[in-house]
Amino acid sequence: MDLTFHNTKTRRKERFEPIDPENVRMYVCGPTVYDRAHLGNARPVVVFDVLYRLLRHVYGEEHVTYVRNFTDVDDKINARAAATGREIGEITEETIGWFLEDMGALGALEPTHAPRATRYIGEMIAMIEDLIAKGHAYAAEGHVLFKVESYEAYGKLSGRSIDDMIAGARVEVAPYKENPMDFVLWKPAEEGTPGWESPWGRGRPGWHIECSAMADALLGKSFDIHGGGNDLMFPHHENEIAQSSCAHPEGHFANFWLHNEMLQVEGKKMSKSLGNFFTVRDLLDQGVPGEVIRFVFLSTHYRKPMDWTAEKRREAEATLRKWRSIVADVEADGVPEAVVAALADDLNSAGALTVLHGLANDKNAAALKAGAQMLGLLSDELGGWDAIDADLSALETALFEARASAMQSKDFTEVDRLKAMLIDAGLEVRMSKEGVELVPGPDFDPAKLEALQ
């Protein structure tokens, strides 16, 4: 089956042909590990997890190599260490563990390689030395800077001229720069912060060189796909291309560039000042199953802005409950071609979900389960439902006992109070002599159950 993706580099949808079908290679920029991943951080993880699954389906699991890095040396990490008095290594190890746990709860497969920047310092220093030798970088006052004017294609990925980039970017003004747009490859390490010995003194790498060095070490001078959020297109990805292309002019770096759009919350940019900023862990701790978060993400095409809303969350939960009831005790049987075809068309996950809705309506359980699992849904490993179901079971018992007491006292005040709150939470209340059944409706909101505990 032909795969087509929108290639940011050419600004058009192109047929995907891997350099080597026996070793399809993808690099995706990972997190800077100093805090919990917020909801926006999770979108590219889910987007490129679906792409990873598609590539494995088409070319075979053993023929796909996926690299997603951890940036574990950064000013934000240093600042967190200074503010908390904790060791930097302790913070990064803890945060990496959090990230893997939270993304696992969203059904994301772990990549083939998850390199940490601090383990590739030698490769970074070697690449920087090579760039200096080729006239693309220069040392100045303990820094090494990339000479932007030495790379004619600079700005091609983002479609900006250097003048536009200077006007629109927060360019660091420094006397040691030959050009305001020149960017840091190496810089001195401040006292008490991580640093490594180099030909330019004790220091640490700039952010951009990390990904170039790790991609080269693990995927080679040319590979198939580079992905990330479109907020990274400039300057990060632009700088990656420049330094990698100049270091290895015989290579192509990444043939395809895929960028996902950003995430909003209830139609607004997520920010702490607006009170709509939350982490993946916040949602999981509120009782939102990771599968629900994943479903909401997939309901919007990756190249369109995604709006997280309470309504979408409720609809996703209702749909997944329905689907899980249909596929219970059924073995998955062959991924439907229509699901693969949708994903093969520029990763159209929303189109794939439409196919699954049709299979659910037709009660085609085996195909529904196989197609959903292709998207990372309806797997046995995805949790989050048990806690909600346990809460519902406890509330069913509480309401049944309250009703039994009311039958004796003839005072149904407490029963009516509980029923009203359960209905307000989006539950259908079914009562009989045998017991009580609470059935989640399309407006079910698990968060409202907390007041009933």
Side-chain angles (χ1 to χ4, degrees), residues 308-319:
W308 173 272
T309 67
E311 181 62 26
K312 286 182 180 178
R313 193 203 84 188
R314 286 192 290 270
E315 290 174 355
E317 183 164 326
T319 297

Side-chain angles (χ1 to χ4, degrees), residues 326-386:
I326 292 173
V327 305
D329 304 319
V330 171
E331 292 293 325
D333 183 24
V335 179
E337 287 188 13
V339 170
V340 180
L343 296 179
D345 182 13
D346 197 24
L347 217 61
N348 185 1
S349 57
L353 289 178
T354 298
V355 175
L356 297 182
H357 280 295
L359 294 171
N361 290 338
D362 294 339
K363 297 294 190 293
N364 192 339
L368 171 62
K369 189 169 188 177
Q373 289 184 348
M374 177 74 191
L375 288 169
L377 301 169
L378 302 190
S379 69
D380 296 334
E381 294 79 19
L382 275 173
W385 298 99
D386 293 344

